[in-house]
Amino acid sequence: MEKYSQFRDRGSGISPFLPIPIEERSILLLPFYLFLFVIRVPILIGLSLSYLLFLQWLPIGSLGKKAILWCILGTPGIWWIDLQIDGVRRGSLGTKANKPKLPFPGTVIASSYTSPIDCLYLAAIFDPIFTVSYPNTRSVRRVGLFEAMLHALSYPRDTPPSNARLTTVADLIRDNPDASILVFPECTTTNGRGILPFSTSLLSVGPETKIFPINLRYTPADITTPVPGTWLSFLWNLCSKPTHCIRVRIAEGVYNSAPKSQNTYDTNYFDELDKRETRQRNGATNGDISHNGESSVSKEEKQLLDQIGEALARLGRVKRVNLGVKDKQQFVATWSKNRRIW
């Protein structure tokens, strides 16, 4: 792996884009694994297509949709969920005092991003509105559940598509008060061993809206998809094992207490251009948000992103790294030279 050493974080040595090695299995049990794979894949694809094409459009209510999503989750053996919430003792989640410690309609979920299963599980629990973030803008693109899952195995983009309809998280909250908004601030998937620098998309959230950091980890961890296009290996790792466990950690909600950024119409364009050129000449430091987002980020806004980033790192028992979307693009180019990922 010497050729990929440049894609390790210099401070921690973590390589967030390398696929997790497939755990060794007994050759004697290979027929059993093949049997599980052959049986589960058609059922999984059939249920997924049925939900995508028909069931999600039927008036079966949120509870009915969640039941179908749980059936999709259960098909490949995702039955064990280890859930812990900051400030809540085990067995006391159902009390009224602890209900606000979970995401609820009108709040924002800032989640780690490692696998298409992230989207499926969060949809089955919270039924949120899905968004795609990009490192160079505070705007987001609203997507559906399956488009969000496809994005987890898509080539990482540092700019939105030219025909994309963009909005902000604040606008989505205003227009959809009965739903929570799901944001993946890292913009692209990792192997779960590090937290990437954040997009600035969370900074549009108003001071009255709670943001809940959520980290998801998997056992075995080889169903993470840090490399785009690896659908076959993902399905094999997912469907050929008897069971999987999801470890879910939810931090206490935080508020965006940073003052609103100055309106662009009130800002001199040439002054902002001079500031940007100065920052580029000086180079981006380890904590510089301009490495993975808009350069015009105030100190208070950076503190908010750091607070959420530290929460995700603490929940996942990992560290934050200084590798972003452009680094992953370079990693994928290097990886694909010797491996056929498509």
Side-chain angles (χ1 to χ4, degrees):
M1 294 294 178
E2 291 291 334
K3 66 181 71 175
Y4 304 114
S5 60
Q6 60 180 312
F7 303 109
R8 293 184 180 273
D9 180 62
R10 293 183 179 181
S12 62
I14 295 172
S15 184
F17 306 132
L18 281 174
I20 302 295
I22 299 175
E23 64 175 12
E24 295 185 4
R25 309 189 207 180
S26 172
I27 298 179
L28 297 177
L29 293 176
L30 183 59
F32 174 65
Y33 299 139
L34 287 172
F35 172 76
L36 289 178
F37 181 77
V38 171
I39 292 297
R40 285 172 167 176
V41 168
I43 298 175
L44 181 64
I45 294 176
L47 282 174
S48 301
L49 290 178
S50 297
Y51 180 81
L52 174 65
L53 299 176
F54 305 108
L55 297 177
Q56 69 171 331
W57 309 111
L58 297 179
I60 57 178
S62 177
L63 189 60
K65 293 179 180 179
K66 289 182 178 182
I68 298 169
L69 292 175
W70 273 112
C71 290
I72 297 175
L73 279 170
T75 299
I78 303 176
W79 301 325
W80 303 101
I81 311 295
D82 177 18
L83 173 64
Q84 288 187 17
I85 304 170
D86 282 0
V88 177
R89 292 181 298 175
R90 288 185 179 273
S92 63
L93 181 59
T95 62
K96 291 183 178 180
N98 289 327
K99 287 295 184 181
K101 295 183 182 291
L102 282 172
F104 53 88
T107 60
V108 175
I109 300 171
S111 174
S112 59
Y113 199 20
T114 61
S115 171
I117 303 301
D118 297 344
C119 308
L120 194 59
Y121 172 79
L122 292 171
I125 296 297
F126 301 112
D127 192 21
I129 292 174
F130 291 87
T131 65
V132 174
S133 297
Y134 301 93
N136 62 336
T137 176
R138 301 190 184 202
S139 300
V140 296
R141 180 165 62 95
R142 179 176 177 175
V143 296
L145 168 59
F146 279 88
E147 191 173 355
M149 295 176 67
L150 290 173
H151 186 264
L153 275 160
S154 300
Y155 183 81
R157 297 184 61 105
D158 55 353
T159 57
S162 57
N163 60 344
R165 297 181 61 182
L166 301 179
T167 182
T168 63
V169 178
D171 289 340
L172 288 174
I173 295 172
R174 182 195 63 211
D175 298 337
N176 304 273
D178 297 328
S180 56
I181 311 300
L182 177 58
V183 178
F184 296 110
E186 296 174 278
C187 304
T188 187
T189 53
T190 69
N191 57 17
R193 294 180 174 176
I195 300 298
L196 306 184
F198 279 5
S199 163
T200 54
S201 56
L202 289 172
L203 298 181
S204 72
V205 177
E208 71 286 348
T209 303
K210 263 190 176 183
I211 304 173
F212 288 91
I214 296 183
N215 184 279
L216 296 91
R217 295 181 66 183
Y218 301 94
T219 304
D222 54 13
I223 61 173
T224 57
T225 56
V227 177
T230 51
W231 280 102
L232 186 58
S233 61
F234 168 68
L235 285 175
W236 169 256
N237 294 336
L238 181 66
C239 295
S240 65
K241 296 174 184 174
T243 60
H244 301 271
C245 176
I246 306 180
R247 177 181 175 273
V248 184
R249 299 292 182 266
I250 303 178
E252 294 188 11
V254 299
Y255 291 95
N256 182 10
S257 58
K260 289 295 182 181
S261 298
Q262 193 174 13
N263 191 303
T264 54
Y265 292 103
D266 299 329
T267 305
N268 187 294
Y269 172 78
F270 295 102
D271 290 343
E272 290 298 316
L273 186 61
D274 290 340
K275 293 179 182 178
R276 187 173 303 176
E277 290 177 349
T278 302
R279 276 188 286 266
Q280 290 175 348
R281 285 196 301 268
N282 294 336
T285 62
N286 186 40
D288 192 358
I289 300 299
S290 64
H291 176 71
N292 194 48
E294 293 179 342
S295 57
S296 55
V297 175
S298 68
K299 180 179 178 181
E300 293 81 5
E301 290 174 330
K302 182 180 180 302
Q303 288 176 348
L304 172 68
L305 297 181
D306 287 341
Q307 183 180 5
I308 299 173
E310 290 294 339
L312 286 182
R314 174 180 57 82
L315 295 174
R317 298 178 182 176
V318 295
K319 295 183 178 180
R320 300 173 67 190
V321 298
N322 193 37
L323 298 170
V325 173
K326 289 188 176 180
D327 298 294
K328 183 172 177 178
Q329 290 174 340
Q330 296 172 6
F331 169 81
V332 172
T334 304
W335 180 269
S336 60
K337 286 181 181 179
N338 301 317
R339 299 173 183 266
R340 193 172 182 179
I341 66 172
W342 299 104

